[in-house]
């Protein structure tokens, strides 16, 4: 055992011991989840090793995410077709079978190489440390209350109660959930296989994702930077340094999971120091800038990023999907790293070779999962897959048009087909909420775009320009190092034509009539062909990711996806989902580029740009400290730690109803319908259904409108809820209760607030039995009598 492994092992033991003073009794659930990731990582290691053969850890960190996404999807698919119930034993059996299959595959089909233990242990320490950090922070603001936490927590509770897939919509009784609930499903799946409680795992899921958001970019950028260092050694000689890979990896992990944008630097720091801000900086301002400051009534937008999501505490689709997105990026880099390993080889085109690329197949599977977890990422990463496929084909087939185009079309079609098939268990029961694409009528102010995206865009553009100029400066005359002969249409080999071209250029041969034109053409073609092999693979990967990120910034300025928010927030959701992924891509790109610039030999100007970029980049990391202090308070005071119970706030916020809500949650099994007053989105209405997972007739109005697109039906349900609480016609109330299969009626603070004197308690009590009553607050629950 090396010294590095020993040190990492000691650090890991110390971190495990630190969970007791930091998390208290929450450390039991925390350690269960960490051990769960460890088991899944070991179980799916052979599959990961086959997908990441040229990574030092053979994909160890990616194997954990791979285990989660594959095993969770298997349970979901089987449950969707009604083949198995969604229960803990089924989940455990499925995981066990898939782990066994992974090791059988590893033993008989592929040669699984042992990982570099030093690197693996370093990654494991980083993963545990950031998982512990984010979990500790969550304990300072644990309530599942505010923003969209009611929805996220309610989805989890509903799925914990249900053995069917999808579970019944807690805010639209009688129908399944019609939203992208994959993230919450995975959280519940992991809750069931660890025998933990949703009250804690609501937070553990998002803090685990936040940890993956550090360690997966670290692994990707580490290998990118090291690949570049190896390329330099092959070209120029010298010794390999670990500075660039480690620095790039740490910057990349911090960029994705901790950093903010330059809005924080300018408005949160510089303007604050100059006394130009009227009030203290509020960390959500970095995500609500375009359309808000200055206010544009019809163009308020959202441009969030992972650090904001992790601090705020939502467990929404785009948050959980971060770890799956990073797995896709890792797979695509592994694909080109493996494909572009031999610059001297002449590849022959083969249909089998094109279609049986395991990383492309796995990426196709993942974008199929995105249909269910976060549909926007399906579209985004299908394009990214096509981009990597194009580069791989240009490299392998030396930019020959027929082979390149055929490869890209086939691999894109393959990924799309796999994704479509994988999505079937979800799409067969899902009604789309997209209303088409519209042309953007409003556009962001240029200075706002510059503030939000100027730094990464400038770095990417400078990097691409620097790489191209360096290639042009150092590239060889066409054909000088070309191996193998390709026969051209006129019968001459390409080598002969290129030699002729060189002779013409050097003046050693006078051109015959018509020969000049013939000689110049191969020169241009050859330069284009050689380009894809002479540029370092890691540089090309960063170029592709950077261009994709810039494209994601530009698209909302041109078009938007139409939805119910079109009147005042037309570009909001489009900008939100696209720029969220742009932030992740830019984070990886900037970390690599800055490291590359700082170590770029004999180019002082690039080193200066790298230094300036590093200062500004590190400055954005200050957003993490500002947001943590604003949201969590004094995290250095252990006495302020409140624990991970997401429902502990009930007695403070809903003191009149807390006892009744807990009685329902702890006493009632299954998903019987509980009637409660409905209200607007983001309000405190639906606190009963959200905290118990028990369905009600109608929940948050705008959310259900978005999910189902039928406000007329929602209006009917809203009126029916009102009638059930206020009508004086006993028969009408009984009819409606039977129509919606209501089993329990909740009469508490919100019902009394909404209906006031019109609340017909005497009629309600005449048709139901009081099964719970809080004598102090007057809140009670009726069980409807059988009719």
């Amino acid at each position: 055992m090396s010294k590095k492994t020993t040190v990492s092992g000691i650090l890991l033991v110390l971190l495990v011991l630190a969970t007791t003073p930091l998390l208290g009794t929450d450390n039991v659930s925390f350690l269960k989840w960490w051990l769960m990731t460890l088991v899944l990582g070991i179980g799916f290691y052979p599959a990961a090793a086959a997908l990441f053969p040229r990574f030092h850890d053979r994909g160890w960190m990616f194997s954990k995410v791979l285990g989660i996404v594959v095993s969770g999807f298997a349970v979901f698919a089987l449950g969707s077709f009604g083949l198995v119930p969604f229960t803990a034993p089924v989940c455990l059996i499925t995981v066990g079978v898939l782990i066994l299959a992974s090791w059988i595959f590893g033993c008989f089909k592929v040669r699984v190489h042992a990982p570099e233990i030093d690197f693996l242990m370093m990654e494991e320490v980083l993963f545990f440390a950031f998982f512990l950090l984010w979990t500790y922070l969550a304990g300072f603001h644990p309530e599942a209350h505010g923003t969209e936490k009611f929805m996220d927590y309610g989805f989890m509770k509903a799925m914990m109660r249900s053995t069917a897939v999808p579970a019944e919509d807690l805010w639209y009784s009688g129908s399944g959930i019609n939203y992208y609930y994959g993230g919450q499903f995975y959280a519940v799946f992991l809750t069931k296989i660890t025998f933990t409680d949703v009250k804690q795992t609501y937070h553990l899921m998002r803090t685990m994702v936040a940890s993956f958001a550090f360690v997966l970019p670290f692994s990707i950028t580490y290998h990118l930077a090291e690949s570049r260092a190896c390329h330099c050694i092959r070209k120029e000689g010298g010794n390999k340094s670990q500075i660039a890979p480690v620095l790039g990896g740490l910057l990349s992990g911090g960029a994705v999971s901790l950093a903010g944008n330059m809005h924080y630097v300018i408005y949160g720091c510089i303007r604050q120091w100059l006394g130009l801000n009227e009030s203290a900086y509020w960390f959500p301002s970095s995500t609500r800038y375009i359309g808000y400051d200055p206010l544009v009534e019809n163009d308020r937008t959202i441009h969030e990023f992972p650090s904001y999501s992790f601090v705020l505490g939502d467990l929404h689709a785009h948050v959980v999907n971060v770890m799956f997105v990073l797995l896709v990026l890792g797979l695509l880099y592994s694909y080109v790293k493996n494909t572009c390993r031999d610059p001297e080889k002449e590849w022959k085109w083969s249909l089998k070779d094109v279609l049986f690329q395991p990383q492309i197949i796995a990426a196709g599977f993942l974008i199929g999962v995105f249909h269910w977890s976060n549909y926007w990422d399906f579209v985004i990463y299908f394009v990214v897959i096509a981009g990597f496929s194009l580069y791989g084909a240009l490299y392998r087939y030396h930019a020959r048009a027929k082979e390149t185009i055929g490869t890209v079309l086939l691999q894109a079609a393959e990924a799309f087909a796999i994704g479509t098939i994988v999505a079937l268990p979800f799409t067969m029961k899902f009604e789309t909420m997209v209303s088409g694409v519209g042309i953007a009528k409003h556009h962001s102010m240029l200075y706002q775009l510059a503030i939000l995206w100027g730094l990464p865009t400038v770095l990417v553009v400078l990097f691409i320009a620097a790489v191209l100029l360096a290639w042009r400066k150092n590239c060889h005359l066409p054909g000088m190092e070309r191996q193998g002969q390709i026969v051209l249409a006129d019968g001459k080999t390409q080598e002969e034509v290129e030699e002729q071209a060189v002779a013409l250029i050097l003046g050693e041969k006078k051109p015959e009539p018509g020969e000049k034109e013939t000689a110049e053409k191969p020169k241009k073609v050859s330069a284009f062909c050689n380009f894809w092999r002479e540029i370092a693979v890691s540089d090309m990967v960063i170029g592709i990711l950077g261009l994709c990120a810039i494209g994601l910034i530009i698209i909302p300025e041109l078009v938007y996806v139409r939805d119910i928010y079109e009147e005042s927030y037309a570009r909001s959701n489009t900008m939100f989902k696209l720029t969220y992924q742009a932030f992740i891509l830019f984070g990886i790109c900037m970390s690599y580029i800055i490291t590359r610039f700082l170590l770029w030999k004999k180019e002082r100007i690039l080193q200066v740009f790298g230094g300036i970029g590093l200062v500004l980049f590190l400055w954005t990391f200050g957003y993490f400290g500002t947001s943590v202090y604003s949201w969590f308070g004094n995290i250095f005071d252990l006495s302020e730690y409140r624990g991970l119970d997401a429902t502990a706030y009930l007695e403070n916020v809903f003191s009149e109803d807390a006892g009744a809500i807990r009685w329902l949650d702890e006493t009632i099994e299954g998903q019987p319908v509980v009637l409660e007053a409905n209200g607007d989105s983001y309000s405190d209405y639906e606190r009963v259904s959200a905290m118990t997972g028990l369905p009600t007739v109608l929940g948050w109005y705008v959310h259900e409108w978005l999910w189902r697109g039928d406000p007329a039906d929602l209006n009917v349900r809203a009126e029916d809820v009102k009638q059930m609480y206020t009508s004086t016609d006993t028969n009408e109330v009984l009819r409606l209760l039977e129509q919606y299969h209501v089993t329990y009626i909740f009469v508490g603070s919100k019902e009394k607030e909404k209906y006031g004197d019109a609340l017909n308690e005497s009629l309600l009590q005449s048709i139901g039995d009081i099964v719970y009553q809080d004598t102090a607050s007057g809140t009670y629950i009726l069980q409807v009598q059988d009719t």
Side-chain angles (χ1 to χ4, degrees), residues 150-193:
F150 266 14
M151 186 203 79
D152 298 324
Y153 186 81
F155 276 6
M156 286 186 66
K157 289 293 292 185
M159 284 183 268
M160 280 298 292
R161 289 183 170 277
S162 177
T163 59
V165 178
E168 188 170 356
D169 188 341
L170 71 161
W171 290 339
Y172 195 89
S173 61
S175 182
I177 299 172
N178 194 65
Y179 190 56
Y180 308 108
Y181 60 90
Q184 292 87 357
F185 179 91
Y186 275 108
V188 173
F189 167 73
L190 298 178
T191 300
K192 290 188 176 184
I193 66 173

Side-chain angles (χ1 to χ4, degrees), residues 167 207 224 232-233 287 302 374 423 431 441 467 495 530 541 564 567 571 590 611 726 737:
T207 59
L224 280 166
C232 289
I233 291 172
T287 70
I302 301 174
N374 190 24
E431 295 182 13
K441 298 177 182 178
V467 169
E495 184 179 88
N530 291 340
V541 167
I564 65 170
E567 184 175 344
R571 297 194 301 147
M590 285 194 293
T726 64
L737 290 171

Side-chain angles (χ1 to χ4, degrees), residues 315-337:
L315 191 60
H316 222 42
H318 60 280
V319 177
V320 177
N321 222 45
V322 167
M323 61 180 178
F324 300 151
V325 160
L326 291 168
L327 175 56
V328 169
L329 293 176
L331 285 167
L332 293 177
Y333 174 51
S334 179
Y335 167 68
V336 296
K337 186 178 178 68

Side-chain angles (χ1 to χ4, degrees), residues 52-233:
F52 298 89
R54 297 170 66 81
F55 278 41
H56 289 297
D57 61 351
R58 303 295 187 266
W60 165 248
M61 273 299 150
F62 294 96
S63 71
K64 298 185 176 192
V65 182
L66 186 67
I68 292 170
V69 69
V70 172
S71 54
F73 175 80
V75 173
F76 166 72
L78 292 171
S80 294
F81 292 117
L83 300 176
V84 298
F86 184 30
T87 61
V90 167
C91 294
L92 287 170
I93 291 171
T94 304
V95 170
V97 169
L98 289 171
I99 286 176
L100 181 62
S102 173
W103 276 96
I104 291 175
F105 169 78
C107 292
F108 294 100
K109 294 296 183 180
V110 297
R111 185 178 179 182
V112 178
H113 298 281
E116 289 187 11
I117 299 300
D118 288 350
F119 185 71
L120 183 149
M121 286 296 295
M122 176 174 63
E123 286 185 313
E124 194 62 41
V125 169
L126 288 173
F127 175 75
F128 192 99
F130 278 92
F131 189 16
L132 178 58
L133 169 66
W134 280 108
T135 303
Y136 173 69
L137 295 177
F140 286 81
H141 198 146
E143 53 266 30
H145 180 233
T147 59
E148 290 189 296
K149 296 185 181 69
F150 266 14
M151 186 203 79
D152 298 324
Y153 186 81
F155 276 6
M156 286 186 66
K157 289 293 292 185
M159 284 183 268
M160 280 298 292
R161 289 183 170 277
S162 177
T163 59
V165 178
E168 188 170 356
D169 188 341
L170 71 161
W171 290 339
Y172 195 89
S173 61
S175 182
I177 299 172
N178 194 65
Y179 190 56
Y180 308 108
Y181 60 90
Q184 292 87 357
F185 179 91
Y186 275 108
V188 173
F189 167 73
L190 298 178
T191 300
K192 290 188 176 184
I193 66 173
T194 54
F195 297 97
T196 44
D197 196 309
V198 169
K199 294 176 183 177
Q200 285 80 37
T201 60
Y202 172 84
H203 296 297
L204 290 174
M205 184 65 181
R206 66 185 184 84
T207 59
M208 182 189 71
V209 172
S211 180
F212 278 127
F214 185 94
V215 75
L216 296 184
F218 170 86
S219 181
I220 292 170
T221 309
Y222 180 95
H223 286 97
L224 280 166
E226 191 195 49
S227 174
R228 172 61 203 176
C230 293
H231 178 86
C232 289
I233 291 172

Side-chain angles (χ1 to χ4, degrees), residues 42 47 66 125 217 497 574 665 734 775:
I42 294 171
L66 186 67
V125 169
V497 173
T574 303
D665 187 35
L734 288 173
T775 55

